[in-house]
Structures are given as C-alpha cells and as structure tokens.
C-alpha cells in the first residue's frame, strides 16, 4: 500500500523519533487532536508501508563497557555494493552499515569492540570481503534528533487526515462537527438525502476508544471520526456533510 505523509503521520514520526520508548499512542493523540485508536492505526500503516522500519536503542558503548567505536569508510564496486553491505552486517562488532550513491567511499561501516585489536579484526574481515578501506576514525559521540519539519507548527490548525492508496483511491479521516448535516442521521438516510457522494464509502467509525464497522443503520454522532474511502479526489462538496454549518 502506498502512503502519503499528511500532518498526522508527520507528527507521529516526529514523536517517535524524539523518544519511541516513552511515547504512547494516547500521548501523541493528545498533542495532535485525534483519538488514540487513530494513532495506533496510523503507526501500523506506517510500519506496513516500510516508512517506520524499526525502533532501536541508541547505545553509548563507551559508557556501557568502555568500548571503542570506529567508523570505517570503504569503497565497494557499484554492482557489488548491496551484497557487500549485507555481508558486512554479519561481522562481529558491526552495528551499522550505510550505503551511499557514489563511486568512491560509498560504504560506511560502524563497529564497536573492547579494544583496538577487536577493531582491527573487523578491518581484516572487511578486507576479506573485498572492500577497500579508505579511512577509519574513532567515534567520540553520536547524537540523534527528530526531523524538525515533521514537528508541530507554531500555530496549530485543524486538518483532515489523508492517505493515498494504490489504484487512485483515497482515504480521509474526518472528525464530524457538532452541527454537521450528517449528525443524527444513519448512513442510509445520509445516502438517500444525497449527503454522501456516490463514490464514497464510510469504512469505519471511531467513537471514544471504540472502532465500529458501520452498516446502513449506523447513526453518525458529533465527534465521530469517520474513515471514508473515495474512488476519486476529495473536494469541498464531498466534505460538506461532515462540517459545521453556520446558524
């Protein structure tokens, strides 16, 4: 499934990059203004799409056991680079491998060990693979931070949450306003009255912490978060049924 990074997804990624261990779905939901169930569903979608690839501890090996950490810069033949990167990961002591789009110094290997001899063993194993080591540096510190552009803006704006799916379909998550035309009506009534576009389908309703599978008789309430599938682009007319109307 293809996925587009809307504001909700970006805020989730930002929060998890800041502190994945101590950040819960309810905490993110409170900051973003959606339900915890929405956050959990979005995290699953981001993981399934390969956007979030894993969660890793940032270990200070020197503090842990006075270990040394070295960054090796190596050059691999372009056609062999992916295979050599995979093989480098299997060497004892290697904790990170990065491939670069370059002809030279296109492989960076981060390794740790209890002493210089252990790190020399890593260098010898890399050479056995056929890698040409161009440089090696002893790493002092390494710091990580969340991507600022995915964080909260100075002024928070209400938004609808979009996901683009393969095949031209789109999914939008909409919070139903208090005085929206669809409030108090069943989905069947809304369809009969022309409130719902012909090419839209309500696939789920989040109400408090419950996720409902709607039927024609399901009544829409203010504050519900509807997940709506459309076979065409969403526009203002498609969203009008869920938005508040002026008195």
């Amino acid at each position: 499934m293809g996925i587009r990074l809307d504001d909700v997804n970006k805020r989730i990624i930002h929060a998890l990059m800041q502190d994945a261990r101590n950040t819960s779905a309810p905490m993110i939901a409170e900051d973003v203004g959606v339900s915890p169930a929405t956050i959990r569903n979005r995290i699953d979608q981001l993981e399934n799409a390969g956007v979030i690839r894993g969660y890793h501890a940032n270990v200070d090996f020197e503090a842990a056991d006075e270990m040394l950490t070295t960054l090796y810069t190596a050059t691999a033949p372009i056609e062999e680079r992916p295979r050599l990167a995979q093989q480098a990961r299997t060497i004892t002591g290697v904790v990170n491998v990065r491939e670069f789009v370059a002809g030279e110094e296109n492989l960076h290997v981060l390794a740790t060990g209890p002493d210089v001899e252990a790190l020399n063993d890593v260098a010898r194993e890399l050479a056995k693979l056929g890698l040409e080591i161009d440089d090696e540096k002893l790493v002092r510190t390494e710091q990580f931070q969340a991507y600022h552009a995915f964080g909260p803006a100075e002024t928070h704006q209400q938004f609808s949450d979009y996901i683009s799916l393969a095949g031209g379909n789109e999914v939008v998550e909409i919070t139903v306003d208090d005085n929206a035309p669809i409030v108090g009506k069943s989905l069947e009534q809304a369809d009969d009255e022309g409130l719902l576009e012909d090419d839209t389908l309500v696939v789920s309703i989040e109400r408090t912490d419950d996720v409902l599978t709607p039927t024609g008789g399901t009544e829409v309430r203010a504050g519900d978060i509807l997940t709506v599938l459309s076979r065409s682009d969403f526009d203002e007319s498609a969203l009008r049924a869920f938005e508040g109307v002026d008195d």
Side-chain angles (χ1 to χ4, degrees):
M1 179 182 73
I3 187 169
R4 187 172 71 201
L5 294 185
D6 62 10
D7 288 339
V8 172
N9 286 337
K10 290 176 181 178
R11 293 284 295 278
I12 289 171
I13 293 171
H14 184 269
L16 294 178
M17 288 184 71
Q18 279 188 313
D19 188 356
R21 177 176 173 81
N22 297 307
T23 301
S24 65
M27 292 168 62
I28 302 174
E30 183 177 356
D31 288 339
V32 176
V34 299
S35 73
T38 295
I39 298 300
R40 286 189 285 268
N41 290 340
R42 289 302 193 89
I43 291 174
D44 287 342
Q45 292 167 356
L46 289 166
E47 291 174 348
N48 292 335
V51 176
I52 296 178
R53 302 178 61 182
Y55 306 88
H56 309 283
N58 178 15
V59 179
D60 186 330
F61 289 100
E62 182 179 5
D65 200 16
E66 297 185 350
M67 300 176 73
L68 303 175
T69 301
T70 295
L71 176 65
Y72 297 97
T73 303
T75 298
I78 301 299
E79 65 279 3
E80 296 292 317
R81 186 177 57 205
R83 178 183 62 83
L84 291 172
Q86 290 294 329
Q87 290 181 337
R89 290 178 57 224
T90 67
I91 296 173
T92 300
V94 172
V95 295
N96 180 274
V97 178
R98 291 184 178 181
E99 294 182 56
F100 289 82
V101 182
E104 296 181 354
E105 299 185 354
N106 54 21
L107 211 60
H108 287 190
V109 179
L110 190 68
T112 189
D115 50 38
V116 172
E117 185 56 33
L119 294 173
N120 287 339
D121 287 341
V122 173
R124 283 190 285 268
E125 291 299 318
L126 291 172
K128 287 180 182 179
L129 293 178
L131 285 170
E132 177 186 344
I133 298 177
D134 301 296
D135 194 11
E136 57 183 88
K137 293 182 175 67
L138 197 63
V139 178
R140 182 173 180 271
T141 62
E142 186 175 18
Q143 300 181 28
F144 296 88
Q145 66 181 30
Y147 181 47
H148 292 305
F150 285 0
E154 292 184 1
T155 57
H156 179 71
Q157 297 179 332
Q158 295 293 327
F159 47 79
S160 296
D161 311 336
Y162 290 90
I163 301 176
S164 295
L165 303 179
N169 296 329
E170 285 190 339
V171 169
V172 61
E173 290 180 348
I174 308 168
T175 302
V176 180
D177 289 340
D178 290 342
N179 59 342
I182 201 171
V183 169
K185 301 181 185 295
S186 69
L187 292 176
E188 185 176 5
Q189 289 176 312
D191 189 53
D192 290 341
E193 295 178 17
L195 294 174
L196 297 176
E197 299 286 332
D198 292 338
D199 57 356
T200 62
L201 175 68
V202 178
V203 295
S204 73
I205 299 177
E206 296 181 26
R207 185 171 294 162
T208 62
D209 284 334
D210 295 326
V211 180
L212 312 177
T213 300
T215 64
T218 301
E219 181 182 293
V220 178
R221 301 177 186 175
D224 283 350
I225 300 176
L226 307 186
T227 301
V228 184
L229 171 69
S230 176
R231 295 178 178 84
S232 60
D233 293 337
F234 283 100
D235 54 25
E236 291 186 7
S237 63
L239 301 176
R240 195 169 297 135
F242 313 100
E243 298 174 340
V245 295
D246 295 331
D247 295 333

